[in-house]
Structure formats: structure tokens, C-alpha cells
Amino acid sequence: MTLIIRSLIVLALTILPLRALAAVEIQEVTSPGGITAWLVEEPSIPFVAFDIRFKGGANLDAPGKRGATNLMMALLEEGAEDMDARAFAEAQEGLAAGFGFEAYNDSVSVTASVLTENRVKALDLLRAALTAPRFDQDAIDRVRDQVIAVIEQDSRDPQDIASARMNALAYPDHPYGSVLEGSREEVMGLSRDDLLAAHANALTRDRVFVGVTGDITAAELGPLLDRLLGDLPASGTADVAAADYALDGGVTVVDYPSPQSVVLFGHQGIPRDDPDFFAAFVMNHILGGSGFASKLMEEVREKRGLTYGIGSFLVPRDHAAQYLGQFSSSNEKTAEAVQIVRDIWADVAANGVGADKLDAAKTYLTGAYPLRFDGNANIAGILVGMQMQDLGLDYIATRNDKVAAVTEADIQRVAARILLPDQLHFVVVGQPEGVSTGGL
């Protein structure tokens, strides 16, 4: 089979639907060496998707070494064992394998898409990247330049500026309070030894979660898990502590020369394991999570024309939870939009959302859920997310029942509990008229 044909098969199979949601059957597989994975078998197509996550992520950066985990992950496919960056890329291309390496605050992610016929060889190549990265100085210098270009680009983007300022104000004493890429000065100061230390801390067997979907059986997967991950260190440094939320209600204006202001607003949120999370999830869908059908969109855009778009979203991180929203508005209309957001926040907290909106939200949320299972890679990612959030093997089968069980009284209770209009803090990046830093 030619390389082009194999590559086309990989591309096509990543976008094909796997099967009906009702037929998704999850197996828990434990390797002879004790590594656990969740598996959904799909033998009809000669392709396997792996999603491997390690808890901890960029939060584990050593003091003064912010950005080390992010740079380290970006270098994993820049050479391993006796292969330099070019040789590694040629080996990967020759196997028609796709690898991905990403860093987040709470985890690092490794994804792999491999053909059945090349499965063992492709995973051996991935094992080399995970266990024996070279971190050659020329590769470090080249990728460091790319990271710094991203940092400088983000420093000019009003949305990134708003997010960075909100996080810095909310979590001043925690890694959440700084960008995971690090500052230009921090990244310039990172050495090869710093990257080796970040690698030893981030990629360890006690932090790993694995989701696998495709043409592989449980009996075949077990030994492969040990072959792929068995040589990683058993454990690394301790995880970080919970993040204290330090932000009160108010406004922070960041001067930015633009006819429009970008506004990020929010307060503390609700943890993923809270008994009220499903009710909060449905409530947020109605308040600001459903696009043009949301109350915020109706009040701020449709009725008053203050923005082109507005939304809100729950952010349940591992060590803190936030409830955030965002919109953009012309500088002369920003003050009015800020006030309307506070008013809607207070109205839903006091009065709930109404039976009609709740019924519509439940219909949409339960109907749209199967659309998430639209390919092997997506399903592997869902399997990993379920494990990391301790949702249980039956979550896919029971999730829609939990959404459908949310009542109007549940919405009323959770809205009164978690919507805190006086605690909303607005970070405004622009030159808004009639808005200044201070209390509301």
C-alpha cells in the first residue's frame, strides 16, 4: 500500500462516524504491568486512535521555570533515540502515523492515529518520543523561537490580554495566574536541563489516563500499553495545591487602542463533582451557552444591539472552578452592556429560567450529545475525559437521563446558589466610555 493511499485512509477514517451512540461499549483494560486504559473496539476499519493524558500538566512547572512543560511537549517530536528531528519526521511519515503533543495547565496530552498494519512500529516510534527525547540544542532554539512568536502575538490580542489579566487577578499565587507558555524572559532562560526536569515530572505512570478506539482487541491492547508506556518513570513531583480565588466584584480596564472593547466577566464557579453540576450545566446553556437561543444573547444583542455575540461557560478546572462569559462591544456601548449582563445575572438568580426554556434546553442537550461521537479520535478523547473526571464506565449511557432529570426547581436552586451578580468582575480591554477600574 502506498504512503499516499495509507495517509488518505487515516484522514478518511478520522472523520467517519464510529457507530450509533447506543452501541458504544467501553471495556476497561489493564496491562500486565498495571497500566489501565478504556477501550471501544471498532474492527470494521483498519485504524486505531489513542488519547493519552497525564494529569499535572504545566501546573508542575518549577518556580521561575514557567513555560518549561509547554516547550518540552513541543519538542517531543523533534528527535528521539538515534533520530534527529528530520529522521523522526521521515519515520513518522513512512508509517502514515499522526502524533499530537499538547500542554495544558492541568494535563499534557499525547494523541496518536495509527493504521492496524503499522500499529506496533508506530507505537514504538511514539514510545521513543515519550521515553527518549533528544532535546537537541538546535531544535530547542528553533521551537523556542516559535513559542516566543506565540507569546508576542498573544500579547497583542485583546482576548488573550483579557484572559491573562482575569487569571492573574483571580489566582495571583497559583500557576493558573500566569500563562502556561511563560513570559518571553522565562522561556529565553530555559535550559536543556530544565526541559529534562519538566519531562521527568510530567510524563509518569502514576498520572496517566488512556483512551483507545478502533481496530484492536483488549487482549492485543494490554501488552501494547506496557510496550508504549512501561518505561516511563513510576512517579514525579507532587501536584499543586488548590487555588484560592482572590477576585471581588468590580471592573478592571486595560487600555487598548481599538474602537471596540473586549469584555471578559465572571466569578467563582462550580466543581465538576458537585451534585448540582448537571443542573448548573443546563442552567448555563439557557443563560449564555446556547448561542442565539440564550437569554444573554436575546437581551444584549437582539433587543439592544450592544454586541454581535455573547456567551457564558462553566470552567471546572482540577484546582479551582470559574463561571465566565465574554462579549465585545463598541466603546460607547460597553458600559450599557456591562450593566445589562449584571441585570440578567441577577434576574436568573432570583427568578430562574421558566419551564419552556428548560424543556427546549433539555431537548437540545440530549439530542446533540450523540454528535460528539463522530470519529475514533473524538471517542478516545471522550474516554480519557471520563476517566480524568471520575465519571464511571456507564456515563455515556446515563448522561442524557441526568440531563432529562433536571427540574425547574433544580434550576432555581442552583441559579440562586452560583449566580453572584455582585461578585461579577469585568475585565475590559479597550477604551470604553464611562467605564473605569474600580467597584461596580
Side-chain angles (χ1 to χ4, degrees), residues 31-104:
S31 74
I35 299 170
T36 298
W38 285 12
L39 166 67
V40 172
E41 292 186 33
E42 176 45 64
S44 66
I45 49 178
F47 160 73
V48 186
F50 290 78
D51 198 317
I52 305 164
R53 308 279 178 89
F54 297 84
K55 272 204 169 186
N59 284 337
L60 303 179
D61 283 337
K65 305 296 181 183
R66 194 63 166 149
T69 300
N70 178 64
L71 182 57
M72 179 273 293
M73 290 298 293
L75 282 159
L76 289 183
E77 60 181 343
E78 295 293 330
E81 295 181 338
D82 61 348
M83 296 171 284
D84 61 13
R86 182 183 182 87
F88 187 91
E90 290 176 348
Q92 183 178 344
E93 184 178 347
L95 293 167
F99 301 151
F101 306 93
E102 296 287 344
Y104 306 96

Side-chain angles (χ1 to χ4, degrees), residues 294-307 336 340 344 357:
S294 76
K295 291 180 72 71
L296 285 173
M297 188 73 86
E298 178 182 355
E299 296 292 336
V300 181
R301 173 189 160 120
E302 299 300 325
K303 291 185 178 179
R304 298 173 178 83
L306 302 176
T307 182
E336 182 182 359
I340 296 299
I344 298 302
K357 287 190 176 296

Side-chain angles (χ1 to χ4, degrees), residues 419-432:
L419 293 177
L420 309 170
D422 292 339
Q423 290 299 309
L424 280 174
H425 195 98
F426 295 81
V427 173
V428 183
V429 180
Q431 295 176 330

Side-chain angles (χ1 to χ4, degrees), residues 396-411:
I396 293 175
T398 62
R399 181 266 192 193
N400 273 357
D401 292 338
K402 293 174 182 175
V403 171
V406 174
T407 67
E408 195 172 354
D410 293 332
I411 297 290

Side-chain angles (χ1 to χ4, degrees), residues 42-346:
E42 176 45 64
S44 66
I45 49 178
F47 160 73
V48 186
F50 290 78
D51 198 317
I52 305 164
R53 308 279 178 89
F54 297 84
K55 272 204 169 186
N59 284 337
L60 303 179
D61 283 337
K65 305 296 181 183
R66 194 63 166 149
T69 300
N70 178 64
L71 182 57
M72 179 273 293
M73 290 298 293
L75 282 159
L76 289 183
E77 60 181 343
E78 295 293 330
E81 295 181 338
D82 61 348
M83 296 171 284
D84 61 13
R86 182 183 182 87
F88 187 91
E90 290 176 348
Q92 183 178 344
E93 184 178 347
L95 293 167
F99 301 151
F101 306 93
E102 296 287 344
Y104 306 96
N105 270 323
D106 289 330
S107 68
V108 294
S109 167
V110 179
T111 57
S113 300
V114 301
L115 294 171
T116 300
E117 67 179 86
N118 296 331
R119 188 169 64 207
V120 173
K121 290 182 179 178
L123 293 183
D124 280 349
L125 185 64
L126 180 59
R127 179 189 61 189
L130 297 180
T131 61
R134 290 165 62 101
F135 298 140
D136 292 334
Q137 191 60 49
D138 61 337
I140 293 174
D141 293 341
R142 174 165 38 82
V143 176
R144 190 202 315 265
D145 287 345
Q146 296 169 359
V147 171
I148 288 175
V150 171
I151 293 170
E152 293 180 344
Q153 181 178 0
D154 290 349
S155 72
R156 298 188 293 271
D157 185 307
Q159 293 190 352
D160 288 315
I161 293 171
S163 179
R165 181 61 63 90
M166 176 71 85
N167 288 332
L169 293 169
Y171 306 110
D173 301 319
H174 193 276
Y176 288 157
S178 58
V179 294
L180 66 85
E181 291 87 356
S183 67
R184 176 187 176 90
E185 291 72 23
E186 287 169 323
V187 174
M188 287 299 297
L190 292 173
S191 67
R192 185 174 185 275
D193 286 344
D194 295 328
L195 301 178
L196 289 170
H199 177 264
N201 282 331
L203 303 178
T204 60
R205 297 201 305 274
D206 62 334
R207 301 186 187 284
V208 73
F209 296 84
V210 184
V212 182
T213 306
D215 182 25
I216 189 170
T217 66
E220 293 168 333
L221 177 59
L224 277 181
L225 292 173
D226 287 339
R227 187 169 178 146
L228 175 62
L229 304 169
D231 290 338
L232 291 173
S235 61
T237 189
D239 205 350
V240 297
D244 295 328
Y245 190 81
L247 196 53
D248 295 325
V251 178
T252 297
V253 176
V254 180
D255 184 69
Y256 186 87
S258 170
Q260 281 209 333
S261 292
V262 170
V263 182
L264 182 63
F265 58 93
H267 52 52
Q268 290 196 76
I270 182 170
R272 183 62 182 82
D273 60 355
D274 190 288
D276 274 336
F277 185 84
F278 263 101
F281 171 67
V282 177
M283 185 272 293
N284 175 65
H285 179 80
I286 299 165
L287 173 59
S290 55
F292 282 93
S294 76
K295 291 180 72 71
L296 285 173
M297 188 73 86
E298 178 182 355
E299 296 292 336
V300 181
R301 173 189 160 120
E302 299 300 325
K303 291 185 178 179
R304 298 173 178 83
L306 302 176
T307 182
Y308 286 111
I310 183 170
S312 63
F313 38 95
L314 302 172
V315 187
R317 301 186 180 95
D318 284 356
H319 305 288
Q322 277 180 294
Y323 195 171
L324 297 173
Q326 185 172 7
F327 67 89
S328 298
S329 185
S330 62
N331 286 330
E332 62 269 23
K333 294 180 179 178
T334 297
E336 182 182 359
V338 166
Q339 185 57 52
I340 296 299
V341 168
R342 288 194 70 210
D343 292 345
I344 298 302
W345 219 258

